[in-house]
Amino acid sequence: MTLLVDAFTILAVLAGLVFFIAGTTGLLRFPDTASRLHALTKADHLGLGLIVLGLLPRAAGIDGALRLLAIWGLVLLSSAAVGPMIARLARLRRPGE
Amino acid sequence: MPEFLLAAALLVFLTVAVGLVRVLRGPSEADRIMAAQLLGTGGIATLLLVGQATAMPALTDVALILALLAAFASVAMARTAPSREDEQEPPA
Amino acid sequence: MAGPAVFRFALLLLLWFVVAGVTADGAAVGAAAALLASWASLHLMPPTRDWPRPAALARLLLRFPWQALRAGTEVALIALDPRRRPSPATIAWMPRLPPGGALDAFLAYASLLPGTLPAGEIADGAIAIHALDASTDIAAAMTMEEARFTHAFGLDA
């Protein structure tokens, strides 16, 4: 049983790491600000989501698990609100892109 | 397992550090605001992993506070950066 | 007025308990915080007559992890494959929703969906959408998501 949980954690956290690496690669490679924003909001948030998923079975009880999910939810909510603001700023600063 | 989680935390931290260098170099304000977002997401992942690895649940609360602060910091920066009124201004 | 206020207070208090844990001395602080937060939310977002459709809303929420997975994978594939470069473009998209809180909420939601990133209003109500891969029909996809969103939140009632 613990072996199964360990395997699940390792797989999910590793997958999360891949997306964090992809996000940073996107930040380094993508040519324009808005594309970099895609890399940041989409890849990194999936990375965090997968790491949260991997830690869920190790959380202290149901309230610990709910708290982890609440953190992911808050990050998503705030980045959803901020993403369009930053994208708009990027567009206004570079007209005609 | 704690060793694995700590290694993962270190790796996330490294990707954040590399990303931060890129993002802080700009060129636009939008890139720099993204630093707050990057530090928020990556920092939270790092804290959650370390908290689990070292059995320090208090780090989860730190992650939670980081989530809130990163949100407010980004909103404040995006709002105070030159906006609609300066639309016609050439970029600095 | 009383109904939405009580509903929001209950939700916020629930969030407090999830985040801070259920303790006796924490409950009073949580109640005070939830009260202040409901007051602020009622001022910033006055209640409307729209009421979400629970089934459609549940579908929207359950679809979300899948969407996040698609969105992240799409970006990751472009970022990690050295032969691929993003072919970004900004398109103009005409929303059906009138300008206001509901449209802003949808645009925030759309920024988490695969491939799309709203970037503010252009002119005459059209919204700039930044797409990472401009080869697909972004406008049609946005309109479809908007319909799903309005239906789930009962904005088309």
Side-chain angles (χ1 to χ4, degrees), chain A:
Chain A
M1 186 59 199
T2 48
L3 203 67
L4 212 62
V5 171
D6 282 1
F8 176 79
T9 302
I10 289 176
L11 276 181
V13 170
L14 280 180
L17 284 177
V18 170
F19 284 102
F20 267 103
I21 292 168
T24 295
T25 315
L27 277 179
L28 295 174
R29 278 191 63 212
F30 288 175
D32 59 311
T33 303
S35 293
R36 291 197 281 275
L37 198 55
H38 274 276
L40 188 61
T41 53
K42 292 177 177 118
D44 276 13
H45 291 145
L46 181 57
L48 179 62
L50 286 167
I51 287 178
V52 162
L53 186 70
L55 293 178
L56 275 186
R58 327 186 81 79
I62 188 85
D63 55 330
L66 280 176
R67 191 181 304 182
L68 282 177
L69 285 175
I71 291 177
W72 190 48
L74 271 176
V75 170
L76 283 177
L77 199 67
S78 76
S79 100
V82 174
M85 278 187 214
I86 305 180
R88 175 174 168 276
L89 193 68
R91 183 173 58 82
L92 294 183
R93 281 279 144 170
R94 288 224 180 143
E97 188 172 284

Side-chain angles (χ1 to χ4, degrees), chain C residues 114-139:
Chain C
T116 55
L117 182 61
E121 192 184 316
I122 308 170
D124 309 320
I127 306 289
I129 307 288
H130 183 276
L132 200 55
D133 176 12
S135 62
T136 56
D137 192 348
I138 301 295

